[in-house]
Amino acid sequence: MSDSPAIPSNFIHQIIREDLKNNKNDGRVHTRFPPEPNGYLHIGHAKSICLNFSTANEFKGLCNLRFDDTNPEKEDMEYVDSIRESIRWLGFDWEDRQYYASDYFDKLYEFAGELIKQGKAYVCSLNQDQAREYRGTLTKPGKNSPDRDRSVDENLDLFNRMKDGEFDDGDYTLRAKIDMASPNMNMRDPVIYRIRRAEHHQTGNKWCIYPMYDYTHCISDALEDITHSLCTLEFEDHRPLYDWVLDQLESLPHPRQIEFARLNINYTVMSKRKLKQLVDEGLVDGWDDPRMPTLDGMRRRGYTPVSIRNFCEMVGVTKANSVVDVGMLEHSLRDDLDKTSPRAMCVLNPLKVVIENYPEDKIDVLTLPKHPKDESMGNREIPFRREVWIDRADFEEVPPPGFKRLVTGGEVRLRGSYVIKCEEVIKDNNGEIMELRATYDAATLGARPEGRKVKGVIHWVSVQDALDVEVRLYDRLFNCENPDAAEGDYRDYINPDSLVVKTGCKAEPTMADAAHEERFQFEREGYFCVDRKNSAPDKPVFNLTVTLRDTWAKKSN
Ligand code: ATP
Ligand code: MG
C-alpha cells in the first residue's frame, strides 16, 4: 500500500525511490508537464498533470510547465493561455518555471551542428514520397539515403543555408544518422529538422526551419535538468531515440524517460483533433462546452478540482492501457459535491399549488440549514406563502404502485415546511392539469402530523418569491461506449439529448445572490452550478453538473 496518504505508491515512485537510493541526480527529483499548445487540455492531460506535479511534490522536487511548440501551424496563444489557466484551476503551480521548447531553438540548432560535426547527422534531399519508400516497412529494412555520406563541411553548409531560407519547404531535411535496418522504425535515420515557412507564436518569423518533436523533447528535458521524464506509452518506441540523441551530446545531462498508460474514458473522445473538430463544426458550444471532456468544459459543467484530482489518484498509474468507466469520474464528483455543496430548492417543471386555508397575506419565513451534515455552512431563510410551485412529476392522479408523493386526496410534506393535502385538480379544456388546490395542516411545521403517517417529502418554491431561472440539463455527449471504435463516424454517436434547456424554472429566492461557478445541490434533482459564461443577474443560468445517482447504470440494465 501507500507510503504517503497523498498519492498511492506507483511503479514510477518505486523507480524514483530506487534512483534516490543510488544517489542519482544528487538526490533531486525534477519533472515537467509538456503540453503542445494546439488545443485545450482534457481529462487525460489531468492524469499527466497530477502525476508530474504530485510526484515532484512527493519527493520535494520541482515540476516545470513546458510548452512543446515545434508545430507552429497548429499552435496558438489562445491555447497557451487556456492551458495555463486550466493547470492553475486544477490546483498546481509551476512557480517561475514556465518554458517553451522554442526558448531553445538557438541551442537546438547548435546541437544539430554538433551532431553533423560528429558525422551523426546529414542533410537529405529525398522528398516525402522517396523518404517513405527508403524507410522500408516493419518487415523490410530501409535503404540508405544517397546523401548519407555527404561530407561534414557540405552538411554544415547546407544546414546553414536551410536556416537562411535559401531553399523551399520540403527541399531538404536534416536527419540523424543511426541505422536504416533497425527493427525500430524510429531509429531509421529520423528527420530532426524540416524547412517550414510558418510564423511561430513565440519566435515570429525568425526561423524557417523547425526541429522535430523527438529531437526537441529530450534536449529540452536535459536543458531544464529534468530527472524523470514521464510520458505516455506510445513513446516507449521513441525512448531509444531519446537516449541516442542525449548519448551523442555529452555535455548534457541524461534524464530518464518512463512511460505510463494513457487515461481513456468511455462515452467520450479524447483526441485533441476530434475535440477541435467538434468545436470547428459547431457540434458543441466551444472548447468549454460543459459536455466536453476538456478541463475548461468540466469546470463550466461544475466539476471541482478536488474531484478530478481524486479521480486521477483512484485511477492510478500503470503500464497497461485500459478504459475507465465515466461512472468512476462521476462518483468522485458526487463524493466531493455532497460534502461541499449547499442545498437549495429549484422546481424544474413547475405546477402551481394554491393552499386555500392559508391566509393570502400571511408569510412564514422558514430557516433551513444549508447542509444537512455541515452546520458550519449556516442557514438560509425561505419564504412560505399561500401559493407554491411543486414539480409536475411529484403529483399523480393515478399513482403507480409505491408512489410516495402527492396524489388527489393524499398528503405530502413540503421540505422544511408544512404537510399539505391535495383537495382538487384544476384542468384546462384539453384535460391538462393547470393547478392544484390544497389545504395545509398548521400543526405540522417542524412536527409530525397527528395520528397519521406522511411518507413523502417534496421540494417547493413560493410562487411570489420564486426566481425565474434557466436550467441546462446536460448528459453524456455520446450515447455509445466507444465512439472511436464504433461503426461509421464517431460524430454519428452524438447523444441528441445531451443538452436540454429548460426555461422558466423556479428557484428559491436565495439563488439571486449566487455567483458564477457557485455550486448547489438542488434537492432531489442533482448538483448544479452557475454557468460562468452565460449567467447574468437578470437571467441566471444553472448547469446540471451531475444527477444525484447514476441514471446510466439504470438505463443500461
Ligand atoms: P492528444 O493525443 O489528445 O492530442 P497529446 O499527447 O498530443 O494529446 P500533448 O499536449 O502532447 O497532447 O500532451 C501533453 C502531455 O500529456 C504528454 O506528456 C502526454 O503524454 C500527456 N497526455 C496526453 N493525453 C493523455 C492521456 N489521455 N492520459 C495521460 N496522459 C496524457
Ligand atoms: Mg503530443
Side-chain angles (χ1 to χ4, degrees):
M1 279 307 286
S2 152
D3 290 346
S4 132
I7 359 174
S9 189
N10 60 52
F11 80 96
I12 293 179
H13 289 183
Q14 280 159 20
I15 292 175
I16 294 178
R17 280 199 193 92
E18 196 62 25
D19 284 349
L20 289 174
K21 209 158 70 188
N22 297 327
N23 203 28
K24 274 203 185 165
N25 312 304
D26 309 317
R28 275 183 323 112
V29 173
H30 202 147
T31 58
R32 85 288 169 262
F33 173 64
E36 181 177 0
N38 62 351
Y40 283 55
L41 296 180
H42 53 58
I43 178 76
H45 293 113
K47 175 174 175 178
S48 177
I49 296 170
C50 289
L51 176 64
N52 277 294
F53 280 94
S54 312
T55 298
N57 199 29
E58 167 90 0
F59 295 100
K60 302 195 171 40
L62 299 170
C63 179
N64 294 358
L65 168 61
R66 183 198 316 136
F67 291 101
D68 234 316
D69 54 347
T70 54
N71 278 310
E73 289 119 315
K74 294 201 171 147
E75 297 160 4
D76 200 279
M77 274 312 278
E78 176 194 346
Y79 302 133
V80 169
D81 294 338
S82 78
I83 288 170
R84 289 160 47 89
E85 191 172 341
S86 289
I87 300 173
R88 286 221 185 88
W89 175 75
L90 257 192
F92 298 105
D93 185 4
W94 56 89
E95 296 169 323
D96 58 351
R97 295 177 312 281
Q98 172 190 291
Y99 304 104
Y100 292 90
S102 55
D103 295 342
Y104 313 129
F105 280 173
D106 284 306
K107 285 185 175 148
L108 288 159
Y109 180 79
E110 280 170 35
F111 285 123
E114 203 175 303
L115 290 181
I116 293 173
K117 282 180 210 152
Q118 291 182 33
K120 298 283 174 51
Y122 61 95
V123 173
C124 178
S125 60
L126 294 180
N127 65 30
Q128 266 193 8
D129 290 338
Q130 292 167 321
R132 193 173 308 121
E133 192 194 314
Y134 274 70
R135 197 176 301 130
T137 64
L138 282 174
T139 49
K140 204 176 86 195
K143 278 187 306 192
N144 284 351
S145 158
D147 299 328
R148 205 173 196 259
D149 296 318
R150 222 190 265 287
S151 73
V152 168
D153 286 343
E154 203 184 336
N155 279 321
L156 282 176
D157 176 59
L158 283 171
F159 186 48
N160 204 19
R161 288 163 60 196
M162 280 167 67
K163 180 195 71 160
D164 289 341
E166 286 191 28
F167 309 117
D168 286 336
D169 288 13
D171 279 357
Y172 289 104
T173 56
L174 182 71
R175 297 175 66 179
K177 196 192 256 190
I178 309 179
D179 178 8
M180 288 307 291
S182 171
N184 183 341
M185 302 288 279
N186 296 311
M187 299 298 273
R188 293 186 185 172
D189 291 9
V191 172
I192 59 178
Y193 263 93
R194 66 215 193 284
I195 306 175
R196 184 73 45 94
R197 281 178 180 72
E199 185 167 313
H200 190 287
H201 50 100
Q202 299 302 315
T203 57
N205 291 304
K206 176 175 176 194
W207 296 90
C208 65
I209 56 171
Y210 289 100
M212 301 298 284
Y213 173 86
D214 281 326
Y215 172 74
T216 307
H217 199 83
C218 54
I219 295 179
S220 306
D221 279 347
L223 290 170
E224 290 175 19
D225 246 333
I226 299 303
T227 57
H228 298 85
S229 178
L230 314 180
C231 63
T232 36
L233 279 182
E234 70 272 21
F235 291 103
E236 198 164 21
D237 287 346
H238 297 242
R239 181 166 14 109
L241 179 54
Y242 185 105
D243 288 333
W244 182 90
V245 171
L246 294 179
D247 283 342
Q248 316 312 311
L249 302 171
E250 283 179 349
S251 63
L252 288 175
H254 196 137
R256 176 168 184 177
Q257 174 178 311
I258 307 170
E259 307 87 15
F260 64 93
R262 287 178 92 80
L263 171 66
N264 299 300
I265 296 187
N266 58 7
Y267 294 101
T268 192
V269 295
M270 213 115 82
S271 107
K272 275 189 266 186
R273 186 180 62 77
K274 288 181 181 161
L275 296 177
K276 184 166 188 313
Q277 195 168 41
L278 291 171
V279 174
D280 290 345
E281 293 179 5
L283 297 167
V284 294
D285 172 31
W287 285 95
D288 64 351
D289 184 298
R291 293 165 294 180
M292 292 279 270
T294 52
L295 294 180
D296 245 29
M298 294 171 76
R299 174 177 180 176
R300 206 175 146 201
R301 176 83 171 252
Y303 272 81
T304 62
V306 167
S307 68
I308 296 175
R309 296 202 305 262
N310 287 347
F311 167 74
C312 290
E313 239 176 67
M314 272 196 286
V315 168
V317 182
T318 65
K319 273 272 187 194
N321 276 318
S322 64
V323 180
V324 175
D325 192 291
V326 65
M328 191 165 150
L329 178 61
E330 291 168 351
H331 173 82
S332 171
L333 177 61
R334 286 190 188 97
D335 203 46
D336 188 35
L337 289 176
D338 179 42
K339 286 182 233 148
T340 55
S341 307
R343 276 36 174 179
M345 292 195 281
C346 180
V347 175
L348 303 188
N349 306 291
L351 172 62
K352 190 189 277 186
V353 180
V354 180
I355 301 162
E356 293 183 304
N357 61 340
Y358 193 93
E360 293 210 18
D361 52 358
K362 182 172 153 80
I363 176 168
D364 274 298
V365 178
L366 308 171
T367 302
L368 271 65
K370 286 193 180 167
H371 195 284
K373 291 183 216 133
D374 186 350
E375 275 180 28
S376 72
M377 284 195 195
N379 295 320
R380 62 198 214 265
E381 298 204 323
I382 314 262
F384 180 86
R385 296 186 205 252
R386 179 182 162 89
E387 294 187 349
V388 297
W389 298 112
I390 66 166
D391 200 283
R392 271 180 188 269
D394 285 334
F395 173 77
E396 289 286 353
E397 278 185 288
V398 187
F403 190 78
K404 292 205 191 73
R405 293 161 278 164
L406 195 58
V407 300
T408 317
E411 285 186 304
V412 79
R413 177 175 293 280
L414 298 178
R415 168 82 94 205
S417 173
Y418 299 97
V419 169
I420 60 165
K421 179 177 180 189
C422 175
E423 305 285 356
E424 191 188 349
V425 183
I426 313 279
K427 297 183 180 175
D428 67 6
N429 293 338
N430 301 320
E432 288 285 326
I433 298 174
M434 299 301 290
E435 68 177 48
L436 304 179
R437 296 297 166 116
T439 51
Y440 86 117
D441 179 346
T444 55
L445 186 61
R448 289 193 185 169
E450 277 291 312
R452 61 204 196 277
K453 271 200 175 129
V454 174
K455 280 199 183 140
V457 182
I458 63 174
H459 59 288
W460 58 275
V461 173
S462 153
V463 169
Q464 194 181 322
D465 306 282
L467 183 70
D468 252 44
V469 302
E470 176 178 321
V471 169
R472 298 176 181 171
L473 299 175
Y474 288 105
D475 200 349
R476 295 174 186 173
L477 183 53
F478 293 93
N479 53 22
C480 97
E481 274 214 46
N482 187 350
D484 284 323
E487 201 180 319
D489 188 272
Y490 74 99
R491 287 164 294 185
D492 300 342
Y493 297 90
I494 291 183
N495 176 3
D497 302 323
S498 57
L499 168 59
V500 175
V501 178
K502 284 188 160 308
T503 52
C505 301
K506 309 293 181 183
E508 64 175 61
T510 60
M511 291 297 97
D513 304 325
H516 276 183
E517 297 199 274
E518 228 183 307
R519 304 176 181 89
F520 300 92
Q521 184 195 94
F522 286 166
E523 296 194 63
R524 305 185 57 241
E525 292 291 356
Y527 296 96
F528 290 80
C529 83
V530 182
D531 191 83
R532 63 195 286 246
K533 207 163 163 183
N534 299 146
S535 193
D538 57 337
K539 187 181 167 286
V541 177
F542 287 85
N543 293 326
L544 171 64
T545 307
V546 69
T547 50
L548 292 176
R549 272 169 286 280
D550 186 352
T551 51
W552 278 72
K554 239 188 326 194
K555 274 184 213 172
S556 51
N557 281 338

